[in-house]
Amino acid sequence: MRKLENKYANELAVIGVHTAKFPNEKDTGNLASAVRRYELEHPVINDSEFQVWQQYSCRAWPTLMFIDPQGNVIGKHEGEMSYDAFDGLLGKMLAEFDAQGLLNHEPLPSKFRSAPETLLSFPGKVLADGPSGRLFIADTNHNRVVVTSLDGAVRDVIGSGQEGLTDGDLAGCAFNHPQGMALDGETLYVADTENHAIRKIDLGTGKLATIAGTGEQGHTREGTRPGRTMELSSPFDLVHHNGILYIAMAGIHQLWSMDLDSGMAGPFAGNGKEAITDGPLANAELAQPCGIATDGVKLYFADSETSSVRSADINPAGKVQTIVGLDLFVFGDVDGSDHRVRLQHPIGIAHHDGVIYIADTYNHKIKRVLPATRSAFTVLGTGAFGHTDGAAEVAQFSEPSGISFANGKMYIADTNNHAIRVADVDSGEVSTFEITGL
């Protein structure tokens, strides 16, 4: 859409209509944060009561409505549309309306204002490494990875800050909204989400290389190919185990794996259909997995769109099982066990000391999940969005999306607060991580 807006800046008017599924998304302040996070410059309607949805007889996310220069609805498309198809259709429409003298080529007035500059910008994920004393921060909207000590002193900044898919030295390389990371010794792997790529950083030599993805979004849901020839779709998080990189491929509702020795990549779990269906790895159905972790036997993942936490056996003959969560349209904020548990679009997940922790993103909380009892309990956060340090029961977050552990501390990517928060695992005391030298 952004490419089309730029190409047809004086002919195309885009109006976004946000008809929210989750209660958290209905709040205008949260919507405004999302508009800034996705860097939208066109106006967006908060259709919290489904009024526009009903008036235009919508049935699917997304729905595209085409309106001519005289205000008449002339077309409708449900689901995503490729750039080429959209571009071809618009080109024909513009030629027709121009021939009729209906187009006004004057640019539309805009109330767009750039977001105020902050030290970090919508950090999506965080990775703490106790042995080396390092913290890796996906500074997502600054298109870079910030490396600090566990005390906050900046050690390195990876990425120029420009959007791009550029390999090379750490200062000159470029990302496009990076998210999850995995560390193997002195090698850092990064899910470069909007480049639809996996990047490999040699922290010793200071070089970055793309190891999977072509830079174009793909729709392949089966088969294995060399990573550099395989198109990916919004890789959102990574975990490394025994020479295999496991990928939460959010865009096509699957988990993927990449053999780092052979460079081969392809689907590991999920058939690509969006649902919550357990069973053998290849037959299971997932829904926008955005976080992944492991205990060495199972992969645990935050299946965001079903508001669930699920597992997938590392053994290729294994299966996917749901720990907590019920359906695409069953969500809330309820602690407990089995079918009583309710989450709201969790994005972050970590395995620590035999326990799973999740960033229950739209509930603005950190929760503990126990697979054996299929239960979930609030650890940090009041449930109201804010930025408050202090004891676990009074601390406030704003859409936390990443979580990691090191040396008795929990590090949290507090995305909408543009901050990293730190919680003492034993006491639950929360503070804001102070970064120096950035």
Side-chain angles (χ1 to χ4, degrees):
M1 186 67 75
R2 185 170 286 118
K3 287 171 66 177
L4 292 166
E5 287 183 272
N6 290 333
K7 181 174 181 178
Y8 300 108
N10 293 337
E11 294 84 20
L12 174 65
V14 176
I15 299 174
V17 181
H18 178 71
T19 309
K21 168 183 171 181
F22 294 101
N24 181 71
E25 296 175 327
K26 295 183 178 183
D27 180 90
T28 298
N30 292 336
L31 173 57
S33 291
V35 168
R36 289 192 294 272
R37 181 165 68 248
Y38 295 113
E39 299 168 332
L40 305 182
E41 298 187 18
H42 57 252
V44 179
I45 298 168
N46 187 1
D47 187 31
S48 61
E49 302 302 321
F50 280 67
Q51 292 178 329
V52 179
W53 176 279
Q54 292 168 356
Q55 289 167 0
Y56 282 86
S57 300
C58 295
R59 302 179 301 175
W61 288 283
T63 296
L64 301 172
M65 304 298 302
F66 298 93
I67 301 173
D68 71 13
Q70 295 176 302
N72 302 307
V73 174
I74 57 172
K76 178 180 182 179
H77 178 83
E78 295 178 341
E80 296 182 4
M81 178 181 280
S82 71
Y83 172 82
D84 290 337
F86 208 157
D87 185 34
L89 181 60
L90 277 176
K92 293 177 181 177
M93 288 181 178
L94 296 177
E96 178 182 339
F97 299 138
D98 235 356
Q100 298 174 20
L102 297 176
L103 274 183
N104 178 352
H105 291 271
E106 293 295 320
L108 291 171
S110 173
K111 293 184 178 180
F112 173 77
R113 297 290 181 271
S114 297
E117 189 59 38
T118 50
L119 197 64
L120 302 175
S121 183
F122 296 102
K125 299 288 186 180
V126 64
L127 174 61
D129 182 50
S132 68
R134 290 177 296 190
L135 186 70
F136 300 89
I137 303 167
D139 190 9
T140 304
N141 274 38
H142 281 150
N143 299 299
R144 63 186 183 179
V145 174
V146 176
V147 187
T148 75
S149 70
L150 293 178
D151 294 325
V154 171
R155 292 188 177 182
D156 214 338
V157 176
I158 305 172
S160 65
Q162 300 299 311
E163 286 185 12
L165 183 61
T166 306
D167 292 347
D169 65 87
L170 301 191
C173 65
F175 300 95
N176 191 348
H177 295 78
Q179 290 283 348
M181 299 161 288
L183 184 67
D184 179 24
E186 286 300 297
T187 301
L188 180 71
Y189 299 95
V190 180
D192 196 6
T193 303
E194 293 191 24
N195 271 327
H196 310 290
I198 306 298
R199 320 293 292 279
K200 175 184 177 180
I201 302 166
D202 188 321
L203 297 168
T205 64
K207 297 295 182 180
L208 178 147
T210 301
I211 60 171
T214 65
E216 298 296 325
Q217 184 173 15
H219 302 283
T220 298
R221 290 174 166 83
E222 57 186 21
T224 301
R225 296 207 309 269
R228 284 298 279 119
T229 69
M230 179 72 90
E231 293 181 341
L232 311 183
S233 184
S234 302
F236 218 85
D237 201 10
L238 307 172
V239 68
H240 174 266
H241 178 68
N242 285 348
I244 305 294
L245 195 64
Y246 295 95
I247 306 163
M249 199 71 74
I252 46 176
H253 316 299
Q254 291 180 315
L255 303 183
W256 280 37
S257 63
M258 181 175 184
D259 187 306
L260 294 172
D261 287 333
S262 68
M264 301 296 285
F268 178 80
N271 60 18
K273 295 180 181 178
E274 185 180 18
I276 182 168
T277 304
D278 292 346
L281 296 177
N283 298 332
E285 295 174 338
L286 320 182
Q288 204 181 99
C290 288
I292 190 169
T294 186
D295 63 0
V297 178
K298 292 179 180 289
L299 302 171
Y300 298 98
F301 59 99
D303 206 31
S304 302
E305 202 63 20
T306 55
S307 298
S308 66
V309 176
R310 306 173 73 184
S311 69
D313 294 318
I314 287 179
N315 185 336
K319 58 185 177 181
V320 170
Q321 294 177 293
T322 298
I323 299 169
V324 293
L326 292 173
D327 192 74
L328 280 162
F329 292 92
V330 177
F331 43 80
D333 184 9
V334 181
D335 291 351
S337 59
D338 293 323
H339 65 277
R340 291 177 289 275
V341 173
R342 297 289 185 272
L343 308 175
Q344 191 183 177
H345 204 275
I347 290 178
I349 191 168
H351 181 271
H352 174 69
D353 201 20
V355 177
I356 298 168
Y357 291 82
I358 63 167
D360 193 6
T361 305
Y362 283 2
N363 282 327
H364 315 290
K365 288 183 174 183
I366 306 301
K367 294 185 179 181
R368 181 185 293 116
V369 176
L370 305 176
T373 57
R374 299 184 63 219
S375 55
F377 302 97
T378 298
V379 175
L380 305 171
T382 65
F385 63 88
H387 190 161
T388 303
D389 290 339
E393 63 273 12
V394 302
Q396 290 183 313
F397 306 89
S398 185
E399 295 192 13
S401 301
I403 184 171
S404 188
F405 289 83
N407 302 345
K409 303 289 186 182
M410 180 193 310
Y411 295 85
I412 302 158
D414 194 10
T415 304
N416 282 2
N417 278 326
H418 312 292
I420 305 301
R421 314 289 291 284
V422 187
D424 186 277
V425 173
D426 292 330
S427 70
E429 189 76 14
V430 176
S431 61
T432 298
F433 188 67
E434 297 294 336
I435 298 174
T436 58
L438 187 61

